[in-house]
Amino acid sequence: MVKKRLLTAALVGGLVMAPFLSVQDGGVQAEEGNHELKILHTNDIHSTIDDLGKSAAYINAEREAAEHSLYLDAGDIFSGNPVVDLQEGEPLVHLLNEMNVDAMVIGNHEFDYGQEAFISNEALSNFPWLSANMEVVDPEFPIEQPDPYIIEDLGDFTVGILALTQAPPATAPAGIVGLEFHGYEETVEEYAYLKDEVDVLIGLTHIGYGDDQQLAEAFPDHFDLIVGGHTHTILDEPSVVAGTPIAQAGSNNRFVGNVTLEVDRDTKEVVSVDGHLQDVDELTETVPHIQDMIDAYNAEMDELLSQVIGYTNTGLSRDERYEMDAPLGNFWTDAMREYIDADIAVTNNGGIRANIEPGEITAGDIYTVEPFANEVMEIEMTGAAIKDVLEYSYNRSNQIDLQTSGLHYTVLTDEEGNLVDIEMEVGGEPIDYDETYTLAIPDFLGTGGSGYNFEGDVIQPGAGFMTNAMLDFADTFTSQDAPIDYTSEGRIAIELYEEEEDGTEPGKPGKPGKPDKPGKPDKPGKPDHAGQPGKPDFAGRP
């Protein structure tokens, strides 16, 4: 996900201001008799719970002082902290119930724990999970069709809240089987009648700031406010596009958004909008019983991380990863490839932070070897582009830097160890330079980390956390009572280049057909559902 800070001037390209609407620089000063609607909002909490007690105290105080108020969440409440994620989200739902959320749009990471957990968490919530563009298309599908919107009757006026989910959601495919996600504009058109049925219309979206802007331009003055999420954008005050204020509050409970709408007492139209972000670090008050809940959940951390997820006779070593394929690298990339059913997976050696010793494997071991919270990016690349990446990876330090699954490669060097050529095979056949392959890669690399340039078409910028992929993959072994045993398999080698007798330089191989299932090892099948913990709060980048 894109993470950026925007200090808005409240006017953005394409702005068409409605004649009645003004965006205030300071606090809203309603004309005598006009009504005020306070919207408190959060988005992309990502299982970050430590300061929710402070956020709750602030939200409660603001709502108590307001004439009318709503607390809305713009999705992605899950995946980001093992304290929450090893319990498949349940602790966070309990906390949000105590915070009196009025409505939440379904975000892509709400599917991360699988369909059974989605159903359980939605049932546990005392607030509605909304999505107007999500459709349950399989009649046998266990997830119920969500409500597209709600209407809140606040006495002096009514508020409609229409929700949009990222289409398609960036998550593991198994989580969204049986679902379809329709386009944003066609969905707004479908529910255009809602504008005439309510006094105030709010779009509650988890589609990203760029798509929120496009939506506002496509429907000028349709929404009185868009409360967004997904891109972790920090909007210090609402930006206005085509007469529509757009708000977003960063991520990970760092900010609480606070927007006030002034509603004309006679026409019931919104005549001014004011908003700002409250930095949670600056807050001191907390809600005692919510903080007690948080402290109790955190106290369970050691027990959760000691949960046994598998057993290995061989151990999973990262040793010799700079010379060849390492056992841990093989397990890791197999997990990534399986997670999104890719042709090829690669990960960088710098992100593999420890060995896993023979014996029991715990959830804590997975977070130890991958503490950076990298997500799995899905990208389509040609064979030629893949070779460019591999050449760069070796030339960085004249050593192996990428572990692989589904792809075997041999680095050919001169006597000084300098790169001469790279030979690649997919499914036992030379790679086709013109063919397109689906890759699973760390989003750290896919966004240019360590100078890499993965040239191709990004399908999913963040399909789920690397830790999720490994924990899911481990379950495919343990569910069948199989050990997680790996060795170096010859996927990667460095060899001295020997010039052909005719003196020709190495060239590109021909174009064999692409195999149906290239190079996947014979591993146990993946179950329909496995728990998927997410990234820890402290995670950094390799």
Side-chain angles (χ1 to χ4, degrees):
M1 292 184 183
V2 178
K3 300 179 181 178
K4 54 188 177 181
R5 183 174 183 85
L6 298 180
L7 301 175
T8 67
L11 305 179
V12 180
L15 171 64
V16 179
M17 291 296 293
F20 65 86
L21 177 65
S22 66
V23 179
Q24 307 292 330
D25 292 330
V28 167
Q29 299 296 322
E31 292 186 15
E32 184 177 355
N34 281 355
H35 302 294
E36 290 183 1
L37 171 60
K38 177 80 70 176
I39 303 294
L40 287 306
H41 62 94
T42 51
N43 59 274
D44 298 275
I45 291 175
H46 285 301
S47 299
T48 308
I49 65 173
D50 286 352
D51 288 332
L52 280 180
K54 295 197 294 185
S55 296
Y58 173 75
I59 290 170
N60 290 347
E62 289 292 304
R63 298 192 72 173
E64 288 171 5
E67 179 187 9
H68 300 291
S69 68
L70 295 169
Y71 170 29
L72 307 178
D73 186 89
D76 270 10
I77 59 175
F78 297 136
S79 289
N81 176 6
V83 174
V84 173
D85 299 329
L86 287 174
Q87 298 184 69
E88 297 189 330
E90 183 175 324
L92 187 52
V93 173
H94 284 302
L95 290 167
L96 291 178
N97 283 344
E98 296 298 315
M99 295 174 67
N100 299 313
V101 178
D102 289 295
M104 181 189 81
V105 61
I106 296 170
N108 53 294
H109 285 293
E110 268 63 87
F111 302 97
D112 281 1
Y113 308 136
Q115 295 173 357
E116 292 179 9
F118 182 100
I119 296 167
S120 176
N121 285 322
E122 185 178 21
L124 185 63
S125 302
N126 61 15
F127 51 90
W129 292 27
L130 305 176
S131 179
N133 63 323
M134 168 179 157
E135 181 182 2
V136 179
V137 295
D138 185 346
E140 303 298 322
F141 193 67
I143 293 179
E144 295 183 0
Q145 179 65 42
D147 289 332
Y149 61 84
I150 60 171
I151 297 177
E152 294 277 358
D153 187 345
L154 300 183
D156 294 313
F157 51 88
T158 57
V159 181
I161 301 167
L162 180 71
L164 295 173
T165 299
Q166 183 195 20
T171 188
I176 53 175
V177 172
L179 302 177
E180 287 185 1
F181 295 84
H182 303 293
Y184 311 137
E185 294 184 17
E186 67 180 85
T187 301
V188 174
E189 289 278 10
E190 180 181 355
Y191 294 99
Y193 63 84
L194 188 59
K195 178 71 171 176
D196 297 324
E197 295 187 359
V198 297
D199 299 313
V200 178
L201 181 59
I202 296 175
L204 183 60
T205 71
H206 192 85
I207 62 178
Y209 182 57
D211 283 304
D212 283 336
Q213 292 175 295
Q214 293 180 23
L215 197 67
E217 290 172 348
F219 299 92
D221 304 321
H222 184 75
F223 293 103
D224 294 298
L225 174 69
I226 293 176
V227 175
H230 184 60
T231 45
H232 299 193
T233 309
I234 299 171
L235 295 172
D236 291 313
E237 59 187 37
S239 65
V240 179
V241 178
T244 304
I246 302 172
Q248 194 173 150
S251 66
N252 297 91
N253 192 41
R254 291 178 294 163
F255 301 96
V256 175
N258 187 330
V259 178
T260 303
L261 290 78
E262 180 185 353
V263 182
D264 187 275
R265 64 183 179 272
D266 297 320
T267 66
K268 310 301 184 186
E269 294 181 331
V270 175
V271 295
S272 68
V273 177
D274 174 69
H276 65 277
L277 296 183
Q278 173 60 54
D279 190 328
V280 175
D281 283 342
E282 296 176 356
L283 300 174
T284 57
E285 299 296 322
T286 188
V287 177
H289 80 277
I290 291 180
Q291 191 60 52
D292 288 343
M293 293 171 65
I294 294 168
D295 292 343
Y297 290 135
N298 283 330
E300 298 172 2
M301 168 77 85
D302 291 341
E303 180 180 349
L304 293 171
L305 293 182
S306 65
Q307 176 185 338
V308 176
I309 62 165
Y311 185 89
T312 176
N313 297 297
T314 60
L316 301 174
S317 172
R318 64 173 183 161
D319 297 343
E320 299 184 325
R321 63 193 181 281
Y322 295 109
E323 291 82 39
M324 62 183 68
D325 57 303
L328 180 53
N330 291 342
F331 165 77
W332 189 313
T333 51
D334 281 355
M336 294 170 61
R337 187 160 67 106
E338 180 72 15
Y339 194 59
I340 62 169
D341 195 27
D343 301 320
I344 295 167
V346 303
T347 198
N348 58 308
N349 284 331
I352 305 175
R353 307 304 290 183
N355 294 328
I356 296 177
E357 300 301 326
E360 291 181 338
I361 303 175
T362 67
D365 290 327
I366 300 301
Y367 286 100
T368 298
V369 301
E370 206 295 278
F372 299 113
N374 286 305
E375 291 197 61
V376 178
M377 176 183 285
E378 181 180 359
I379 185 171
E380 291 182 345
M381 300 176 63
T382 65
I386 294 169
K387 184 172 184 181
D388 289 341
V389 167
L390 290 178
E391 288 177 345
Y392 172 81
S393 73
Y394 183 82
N395 282 330
R396 292 185 67 210
S397 304
N398 277 12
Q399 61 186 13
I400 299 300
D401 190 47
L402 295 179
Q403 300 291 304
T404 63
S405 175
L407 169 71
H408 290 198
Y409 70 95
T410 300
V411 176
L412 302 176
T413 71
D414 60 22
E415 292 183 354
E416 285 74 39
N418 298 311
L419 177 68
V420 175
D421 195 19
I422 293 181
E423 296 176 346
M424 302 179 292
E425 292 185 353
V426 175
E429 298 289 338
I431 198 168
D432 186 334
Y433 284 88
D434 297 321
E435 181 63 83
T436 298
Y437 300 88
T438 302
L439 275 71
I441 65 175
D443 65 337
F444 169 73
L445 296 184
T447 55
S450 296
Y452 276 92
N453 178 24
F454 282 78
E455 185 176 343
D457 295 325
V458 175
I459 307 303
Q460 294 191 80
F465 294 105
M466 207 88 78
T467 46
N468 297 2
M470 286 188 275
L471 286 158
D472 264 10
F473 194 56
D475 190 67
T476 67
F477 292 84
T478 56
S479 64
Q480 300 182 47
D481 295 322
I484 304 174
D485 289 341
Y486 271 84
T487 61
S488 296
E489 302 169 7
R491 300 183 186 186
I492 304 170
I494 301 175
E495 296 180 1
L496 182 65
Y497 169 68
E498 296 183 5
E499 190 173 344
E500 300 289 341
E501 292 185 2
D502 61 3
T504 58
E505 290 295 318
K508 292 184 177 180
K511 296 173 61 175
K514 183 179 179 182
D516 291 335
K517 207 69 172 176
K520 282 200 175 184
D522 187 13
K523 297 295 180 189
K526 185 176 182 180
D528 291 336
H529 167 68
Q532 297 185 13
K535 65 183 181 181
D537 293 339
F538 58 83
R541 292 292 189 189

